[in-house]
Amino acid sequence: MYGLARNLLFRLPPEQAHGVSLRGLDMAHRLGLLKLVVDQVAPLPVEVMGLKFPNPVGLAAGLDKDADHVDALGALGFGFVEVGTVTPQPQPGNPQPRLFRLPEHQAIINRMGFNNQGLDHLLGQVDRMRYQGVLGINVGKNKATPDDEAELDYRKGIAAVYSRANYITVNVSSPNTPGLRDLQFGDALKRLLAAIKDEQTLQQQEQGRYVPIAVKIAPDMDDDGVRFVAQALREAGMDGVIATNTTIERQAVAGHALAAETGGLSGAPVRAASLRVIEGLYAELGESLPIIGVGGITDGAAAAEKIRAGAKLVQIYTGFIYRGPALIGECVEAIRALGSR
């Protein structure tokens, strides 16, 4: 059934299809139809970052930037849902077209540019949702905020969502906000992590609860870069790392008519790069800091591969667009099978 729906949706421009599909999902949920057409996902509980997840397969940030569709998405069987990236102030993102499908590669190129309606809108949506599962909120900086003031935007985001989130993700790895990825390296990363930890401590003291914070990193760094990031995250006292965001590399889709489009490439082509980063992180961190694996999960085998490499949880996005809700259960069962070997 999803294959038929996808074929129809793929006749529309990608961004329009995205909106249509999410509105349709909302309607199906309100009418009670989702439980009739979506297979139930058998529990596979796991505890990570002090949180209990019903299963280790989550939805990555980016699909529901403004938390407008959490109830419907949460009803599909995800073990957790991450919304955002949200910035302190609303921003339109980059000019359209900014989203491109590469079906031959089960891939997408996007240069959305953190388009979102801002913190106030997202918080209002979270307050109205009925979803009772694990909710992650992904925060970023506004495009107009200078890099040397980036920590102020991250502090604003953390402070605003702290009371609503089960965990918070700090996004320093989108390729679509100029200069953002520079925050992943050297003294800039260390200063940012110190500010993030300080804000987390302040909010914990004020609100009387501890909300874990994970940092989302890019796949486009060499082995030395991966080791540096791992050490910096551990020294700063972060609670987790999400590996990885989209890639700016195009070797895997070289020759495709859309390969020259700027933006981040996601889907099957980023599978190997994401896995390499996860392996490098785990070699450095071991069990001291949990890894959430994302990138190129288009089937159960890819999800299990990331768990074997050291990830404790996985997230899907592009694979979900190409495969639909069936991918969630397939990934859960592939991970479950690892425990029976």
Side-chain angles (χ1 to χ4, degrees):
M1 184 177 293
Y2 179 76
L4 176 61
R6 186 192 66 187
N7 289 340
L8 294 173
L9 288 167
F10 275 26
R11 296 176 184 270
L12 299 173
E15 198 161 346
Q16 183 181 353
H18 184 84
V20 168
S21 61
L22 287 174
R23 290 191 295 272
L25 191 64
D26 286 340
M27 182 178 295
H29 178 61
R30 286 194 298 269
L31 295 174
L33 300 177
L34 285 183
K35 59 186 177 183
L36 301 178
V37 297
V38 176
D39 292 335
Q40 293 293 307
V41 177
L44 184 60
V46 59
E47 185 168 341
V48 180
M49 299 188 296
L51 302 172
K52 295 180 179 179
F53 298 80
N55 72 63
V57 181
L59 177 67
L63 193 134
D64 188 5
K65 292 177 181 292
D66 295 307
D68 291 334
H69 312 281
V70 177
D71 288 339
L73 291 166
L76 297 178
F78 287 108
F80 58 109
V81 172
E82 186 173 316
V83 297
T85 297
V86 62
T87 55
Q89 299 300 319
Q91 59 183 28
N94 293 319
Q96 297 188 32
R98 53 192 181 181
L99 186 64
F100 308 90
R101 304 186 195 100
L102 291 73
E104 308 93 319
H105 298 281
Q106 289 189 283
I108 288 173
I109 293 173
N110 93 82
R111 52 171 178 265
M112 304 299 287
F114 283 178
N115 59 307
N116 73 103
Q117 297 187 59
L119 279 168
D120 288 345
H121 174 88
L122 181 139
L123 295 176
Q125 294 299 90
V126 170
D127 287 344
R128 284 187 285 273
M129 75 182 190
R130 297 183 179 180
Y131 174 68
Q132 296 296 308
V134 177
L135 179 72
I137 302 181
N138 185 306
V139 300
K141 82 172 189 73
N142 280 110
K143 182 178 180 180
T145 301
D147 291 347
D148 59 0
E149 298 177 14
E151 71 176 60
L152 299 178
D153 274 12
Y154 286 108
R155 281 182 177 270
K156 289 176 185 176
I158 292 167
V161 307
Y162 197 90
S163 64
R164 277 85 160 184
N166 295 113
Y167 73 90
I168 298 169
T169 297
V170 171
N171 188 346
V172 294
S173 52
S174 170
N176 301 318
T177 296
L180 187 73
R181 286 191 169 192
D182 294 340
L183 299 175
Q184 296 177 110
F185 305 106
D187 290 340
L189 177 63
K190 292 184 176 181
R191 285 194 301 270
L192 179 60
L193 294 179
I196 290 167
K197 190 65 184 180
D198 181 62
E199 190 63 40
Q200 182 188 39
T201 301
L202 289 174
Q203 295 304 319
Q204 180 188 10
Q205 292 170 348
E206 289 182 9
Q207 302 191 34
R209 65 188 287 256
Y210 185 83
V211 178
I213 296 181
V215 177
K216 190 168 187 175
I217 65 172
D220 306 313
M221 59 178 74
D222 60 20
D223 293 344
D224 288 340
V226 172
R227 282 191 289 271
F228 173 83
V229 168
Q231 293 167 2
L233 293 174
R234 181 170 52 203
E235 290 170 3
M238 293 296 103
D239 301 286
V241 54
I242 300 181
T244 61
N245 212 317
T246 58
T247 180
I248 57 175
E249 291 294 325
R250 293 292 188 269
Q251 184 175 354
V253 296
H256 193 281
L258 296 173
E261 293 288 350
T262 58
L265 174 68
S266 61
V270 80
R271 176 175 173 174
S274 170
L275 185 67
R276 178 186 63 82
V277 173
I278 292 169
E279 290 172 339
L281 288 170
Y282 190 75
E284 187 68 31
L285 297 170
E287 300 293 321
S288 66
L289 191 71
I291 301 166
I292 301 172
V294 55
I297 299 178
T298 57
D299 56 28
E305 179 180 68
K306 284 178 168 44
I307 298 295
R308 283 198 304 270
K312 302 302 180 188
L313 303 167
V314 297
Q315 291 178 317
I316 59 176
Y317 180 168
T318 302
F320 176 65
I321 291 172
Y322 281 100
R323 294 283 315 282
L327 179 60
I328 305 168
E330 181 180 321
C331 290
V332 170
E333 294 310 311
I335 295 169
R336 189 193 313 276
L338 293 176
S340 63
R341 293 181 179 179

